[in-house]
């Protein structure tokens, strides 16, 4: 039994050394945590033990890494090639073969039925004759362009529904032959499905067989691994493992049978975990002879996930009672260590009175230093600020006031000169850890907080946001404060401990603080000083925890160590007395730099007085010197006039910037008030002259212009003419570039486009000449109306489509027969809305009657024959004759018109209309909208405009997402990008065109579909995202990427987008080659590349396809070599490159032993004779340069 800080690890390692030195027994040391295990094994290393093994791979000790079981096993394999190692390599190679076989079968199942797989089924049913090629007198059958015709070609033609070739008909006319070429396409599809089903059944059996072999090999691999690891353990005297590792590797440990088991922290280990480390006497193992338990049952018990199974629940299960505690309470023989080496006596008095009355102090602890800047080493800071959510029943608690005070205490201690590793914050609740971390981030920007992985896991179980917390200990820098829960700090210590008890409420609830074991651990972690922040009233009023805290608080009270604020003392001026601080403001006001409010006034090396208040740290003022903000009194080193420097003391003097009298420059001009440094000598005056801005007249020889320019420009070697080009461009604007930049004809317009867009807005973009304006970037209507169209009249009927679709009825040329409110006949065309009374030809004003309405004959409104040519009123307020507006709107492009001018049918709307400039009013240039007569053209242009704007937005987003993907984002960002692209795909499909199509379903509408390029780019980007997430071949991301590529290729083929089809096919090839064994996909890659080469869309794409095929062949050769090495345990590279040869047709083969040819053979590829005799190679064979190059790579 070991009490707090009595040296249990030291005693444990000493016991292990005694047993080792006086017996041949092997020792197994089991610890609850990796930290404790590392400490024990490091002690054994210091005692000279080298034959030790650490099971598990989570050590943070550099000295122990080479003693991990995995590292030793790897080292053993590299030094010797044992029979077990050879079997392991063979098993791994066979597992790879099984995996490749399963992968190839699964890929084959996903592919359409090809001839190479259909042949076996057809031969069994005597149907293969339908696709047999009969060669006559050595002649081959070829098709168009000398294309080779074989069984695969015929089978593909049959699947496409083509007719039987004439030359094959004769062989199928034999009686009894089932002619498959006579089947209809639907019947052929049924046959293909039947054969595919037969193929699937056969391949499923093969997959199950390969899977079973893989599982058997996997089990054999585990057995061989145990054999190799047990060989390592046989040579070890000391074996270390955590309780988890001992249970996980029980089978391995049973082979070693360590006869002595030492369990550290036994009071914190569940009894079943101890039992798994023990062995009984069997055929291949020896029973445990000696069990040594080292621990303290008065500290924390083992952790259980279920509270109802613990002792404190009172349910009687008591599963958290360790074997150690049970044996102690049963009166089992035990020994106790009673001298502590950790705490100052005043801290040890707490647990001495509460838990260990016989605990003694080692003399060394009396000499521990006092905490600097604090009048006492042990304090309880009392407060009455309630915990957060004091009335709720949450399992984890927090207290913002305590978090703030603890952080300020830590800051104050750091200002006393303590290192960050010397101060730790402890709390019983993990929820308070997160509150403290956030407070420290807010108030101490230069200090981070370190939280252990165990506390991280606790926070995650509570669904806490731990984004700002460091995840791993190895990320700890020099400026990190440890913040930990009590449960996960057992066995550790620190010079100064700041404790936040958290619990503060009016009903006396203290939760975990009522457990003596937890309080014992909490109060026994500090070495030099301990400061507790809590509510004494809540602790005293607790009905369940009063017996724990009342004696402690009484002890604090009697010693005068309960205070309302944190007492501070200036180290440099202790006679000034004690200052109490409770809030952030008080700490920052009274102790701004850790000392008192007296000015430091020490003289710095620069000669200025220190500007800081009293500061215990940086007494040498090295940091303060670099921050001096006083004016510099030095003279710049290059100043000839001895001017004082006008910068701050901490800054480098540099150039003298004092202004001096006007100075004449070499160019003849006068420099007005130059800086001292710029005219200090002739050289600097010459440089200043080269920047002279005085204006002079100069004739430029390059262009012949004579104009005013800066002196420096006129005297330069290549003066630049400042005149503007002003050449009139095709767009009608003058060129605004400088003369020099346009002398070679590089004109460009920088004016803004003033065209009116379809939506009515001005373009406003940079002038783009005759190119159509891009979509509007202002807020305007981005959707089409899907209400029923209201254009109707008695003569031509009603439009049957929705308002946003191009109308499908004919216009009416008759005058409207409705009456206005004044009683006179409407002057507009039939089908249009009637105008206001103010436009009545009988009642309107003289000014209105004088308006020109016919732009051909220049007739006024008063002169217009309204019965034959009615007027149409525009939304802008202007009105014109129907004939005038019909010409402006080019109505003949929307409707078919006979010779007499009657509308007889609908014109197919051209895509070019959608990109043309919107039609506008001749008077005010406003876009013509909302005229039902022209609804067919207006709706079509609006649809094309909205679709173009929609697609432009999609393309811009795709470019932005593509740049994000090129920037090497992490997996979380890639997954988020996939979600965004899936939503964008839905947006692309639901564009303006689609909405109108769906609204008009069942009714005739002819509108050209939107461009497919953005949609294909989107699918390509999605596939690239999934490719980024691939970890291994055939994982879910790999398969999804393949599916997305195939989907995009099918879409491109259906849309006849041949360029994108080739690009996507090459992307798919790269994916297959990067993540799949080449022998599985080589045929597919060759097929895809050949398709790209045949399409011949782009020379660059064709060359890329050719390069991929060559790379595929090289990679295949390297994979063959790698496979040979794995299976045979043989090095086919390096010096063996001279053993490779080629047959007459260039196929490689290998000669073993010495590499000389001793026998003849046949090439597996072409059947040519290979080899030789008596170390002489056949004259038709040669050494393989291709393989030699591959081996060098």
């Amino acid at each position: 039994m070991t009490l707090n800080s009595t040296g249990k690890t030291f005693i444990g390692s000493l016991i292990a050394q005694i047993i080792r030195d006086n017996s041949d027994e092997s020792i197994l040391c089991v610890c609850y945590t990796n930290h404790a295990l590392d400490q024990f094994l490091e002690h054994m290393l210091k005692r000279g033990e080298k034959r030790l093994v650490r099971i598990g791979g989570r050590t943070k000790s550099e000295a122990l890494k080479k003693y991990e079981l995995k590292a030793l096993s790897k080292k053993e394999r590299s030094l010797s090639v044992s029979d077990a190692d050879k079997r392991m390599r063979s098993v791994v190679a066979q597992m790879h073969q099984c995996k490749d076989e399963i992968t190839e079968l699964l890929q084959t199942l996903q592919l359409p039925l090809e001839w190479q797989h259909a042949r076996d089924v057809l031969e069994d049913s005597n149907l293969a004759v339908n696709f047999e090629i009969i060669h006559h007198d050595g002649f081959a059958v070829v098709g168009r362009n000398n294309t080779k015709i074989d069984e695969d070609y015929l089978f593909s033609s049959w699947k496409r529904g083509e007719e039987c070739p004439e030359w094959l008909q004769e062989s199928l006319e034999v009686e009894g032959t089932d002619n498959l070429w006579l089947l209809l396409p639907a019947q052929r599809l049924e046959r293909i499905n039947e054969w595919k089903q037969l193929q699937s059944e056969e391949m499923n059996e093969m997959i199950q067989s390969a899977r079973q072999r893989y599982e058997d090999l996997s089990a054999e691999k585990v057995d061989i691994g145990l054999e190799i690891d047990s060989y390592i353990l046989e040579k070890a005297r000391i074996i270390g493992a955590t309780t988890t590792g001992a249970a996980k590797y029980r089978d391995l440990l049973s082979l070693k049978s360590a006869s002595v088991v030492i369990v550290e922290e036994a009071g914190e280990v569940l009894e079943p975990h101890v039992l798994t480390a023990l062995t009984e006497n069997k055929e291949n193992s020896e029973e445990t002879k000696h069990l040594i338990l080292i621990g303290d049952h008065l500290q924390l018990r083992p952790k259980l996930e279920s509270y109802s199974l613990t002792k404190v629940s009172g349910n009687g299960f008591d599963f958290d009672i360790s074997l150690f505690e049970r044996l102690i309470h049963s009166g089992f023989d035990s020994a106790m260590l009673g001298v502590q080496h950790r705490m100052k006596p005043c801290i040890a008095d707490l647990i001495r009175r509460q838990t260990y009355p016989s605990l003694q102090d080692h003399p060394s602890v009396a000499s521990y230093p006092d905490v600097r800047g604090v009048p006492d080493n042990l304090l309880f800071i009392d407060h009455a600020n309630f915990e957060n959510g004091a009335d709720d029943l949450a399992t984890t608690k927090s207290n913002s006031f305590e978090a703030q005070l603890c952080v300020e205490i830590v800051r104050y201690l750091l200002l006393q000169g303590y290192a960050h590793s010397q101060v730790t914050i402890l709390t019983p609740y993990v929820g308070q850890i997160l509150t403290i971390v956030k407070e420290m981030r807010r108030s101490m920007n230069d200090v981070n907080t370190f939280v252990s992985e165990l506390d991280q896991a606790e926070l995650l179980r509570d669904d806490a946001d731990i984004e700002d917390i460091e995840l791993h200990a190895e990320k700890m820098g020099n400026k990190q404060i440890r913040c930990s829960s009590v449960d996960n700090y057992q066995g550790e210590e620190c010079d100064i401990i700041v404790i936040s008890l958290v619990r503060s409420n009016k009903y006396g609830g203290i939760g975990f603080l009522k457990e003596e074991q937890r309080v014992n651990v909490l109060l026994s972690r500090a070495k030099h000083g301990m400061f507790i922040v809590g509510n004494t009233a809540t602790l005293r009023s607790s009905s369940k925890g009063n017996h724990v805290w009342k004696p402690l608080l009484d002890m604090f009270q009697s010693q005068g160590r309960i205070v309302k604020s944190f007492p501070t003392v200036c180290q440099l001026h202790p006679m000034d007395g004690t200052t109490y601080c409770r809030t952030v403001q008080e700490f920052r006001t009274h102790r701004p730099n850790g000392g008192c409010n007296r000015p430091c006034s020490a003289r710095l090396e620069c000669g200025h007085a220190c500007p800081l208040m009293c500061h215990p740290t940086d007494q040498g003022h090295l940091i303060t010197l670099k921050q001096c903000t006083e004016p510099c009194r030095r003279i710049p080193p290059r100043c000839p006039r001895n001017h004082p420097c006008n910068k701050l003391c901490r800054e480098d003097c540099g150039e003298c910037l004092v202004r001096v009298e006007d100075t004449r420059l070499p160019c003849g001009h006068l420099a007005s008030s130059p800086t001292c440094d710029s005219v200090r000598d002739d050289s600097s005056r010459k440089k200043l002259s080269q920047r002279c801005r005085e204006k002079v007249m100069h004739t430029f020889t390059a262009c012949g212009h004579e104009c005013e320019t800066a002196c420096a420009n006129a005297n330069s070697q290549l003066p630049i003419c400042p005149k503007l080009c002003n050449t009139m461009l095709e767009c009608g604007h003058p060129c605004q570039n400088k003369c020099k930049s346009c002398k070679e004809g590089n004109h460009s317009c920088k004016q803004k486009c003033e065209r009116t867009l379809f939506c009515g807005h001005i373009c406003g973009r940079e002038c783009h000449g005759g190119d159509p304006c891009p979509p509007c970037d202002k807020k305007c209507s981005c959707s089409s109306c899907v209400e029923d169209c209201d254009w109707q009249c008695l003569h031509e009927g009603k439009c049957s489509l929705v308002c946003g679709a191009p109308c499908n009825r004919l216009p009416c040329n008759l005058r409207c027969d409705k009456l206005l409110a004044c009683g006179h006949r409407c002057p507009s065309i039939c089908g249009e809305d009637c105008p206001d009374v103010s436009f009545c030809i009988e009642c309107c004003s003289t000014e209105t009657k004088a308006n020109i309405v016919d732009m051909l004959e220049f007739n006024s409104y008063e002169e217009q024959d309204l019965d034959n040519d009615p007027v149409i009123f525009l939304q802008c307020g202007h009105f014109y004759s129907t004939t005038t507006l019909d010409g402006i709107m080019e109505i003949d492009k929307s409707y078919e018109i006979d010779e007499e001018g009657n509308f007889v049918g609908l014109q197919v709307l051209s895509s070019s209309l959608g990109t043309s400039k919107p039609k506008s009013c001749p008077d005010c240039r406003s876009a013509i909208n909302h005229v039902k007569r022209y609804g067919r053209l207006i709706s079509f242009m609006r649809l094309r405009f909205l679709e173009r704007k929609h697609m432009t937005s999609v393309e811009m987003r795709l470019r932005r997402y593509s740049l994000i993907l090129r920037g090497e984002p992490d997996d979380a960002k890639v997954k988020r990008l996939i979600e965004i692209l899936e939503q964008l795909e839905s947006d692309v499909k639901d564009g303006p065109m689609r909405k109108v199509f769906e609204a008009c379903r069942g009714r005739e509408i002819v509108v050209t579909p939107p461009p497919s390029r953005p949609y294909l780019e989107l699918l390509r980007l999605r596939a690239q995202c999934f490719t980024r997430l691939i970890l291994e071949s055939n994982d879910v991301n790999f398969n999804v990427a393949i599916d997305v590529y195939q989907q995009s290729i099918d879409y491109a083929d259906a849309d006849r987008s041949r360029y994108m089809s080739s690009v996507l096919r090459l992307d798919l090839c790269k994916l297959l080659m990067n993540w799949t064994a080449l022998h599985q996909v080589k045929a597919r890659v060759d097929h895809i590349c050949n398709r790209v080469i045949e399409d011949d869309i782009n020379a660059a794409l064709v060359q890329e396809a050719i390069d991929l095929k060559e790379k595929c062949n090289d990679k295949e050769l390297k994979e063959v070599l790698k496979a040979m090495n794995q299976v045979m345990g043989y090095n086919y590279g390096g010096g063996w490159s001279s053993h490779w040869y080629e047959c007459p047709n260039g196929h490689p083969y290998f000669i073993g032993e010495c590499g000389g040819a001793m026998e003849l053979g046949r090439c597996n590829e072409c059947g040519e004779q290979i080899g030789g005799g008596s170390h002489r190679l056949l004259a038709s064979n040669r050494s393989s340069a291709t393989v030699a190059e591959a081996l060098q790579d």
Side-chain angles (χ1 to χ4, degrees), residues 345-347 349-350 353 376 378-379 552-562:
C346 63
I347 302 174
D349 286 342
L350 295 175
R353 179 169 183 174
D376 204 337
L378 177 64
L379 290 170
L552 292 171
L553 294 175
D554 288 343
M555 183 176 176
F556 274 102
Q557 189 74 47
S558 64
Q559 297 174 354
R561 286 185 163 126
I562 296 181

Side-chain angles (χ1 to χ4, degrees), residues 806 908-912 914-915 940 943-948 950-951 988-989 991-997 1005-1015 1051 1054-1057:
V908 177
L909 297 174
S910 170
S911 298
S912 61
T915 58
F940 176 73
L943 267 180
R944 297 299 295 178
F945 164 77
L946 294 176
E947 191 66 37
R948 191 164 69 252
H950 177 65
M951 284 302 173
V988 171
K989 293 179 180 178
M993 288 282 192
R994 184 174 182 84
K995 290 178 182 177
V996 173
F997 277 131
I1005 176 172
V1006 181
V1007 179
T1008 54
S1012 59
R1013 180 70 175 269
Y1015 181 62
Y1051 187 93
D1055 191 64
R1056 297 184 180 179
S1057 302

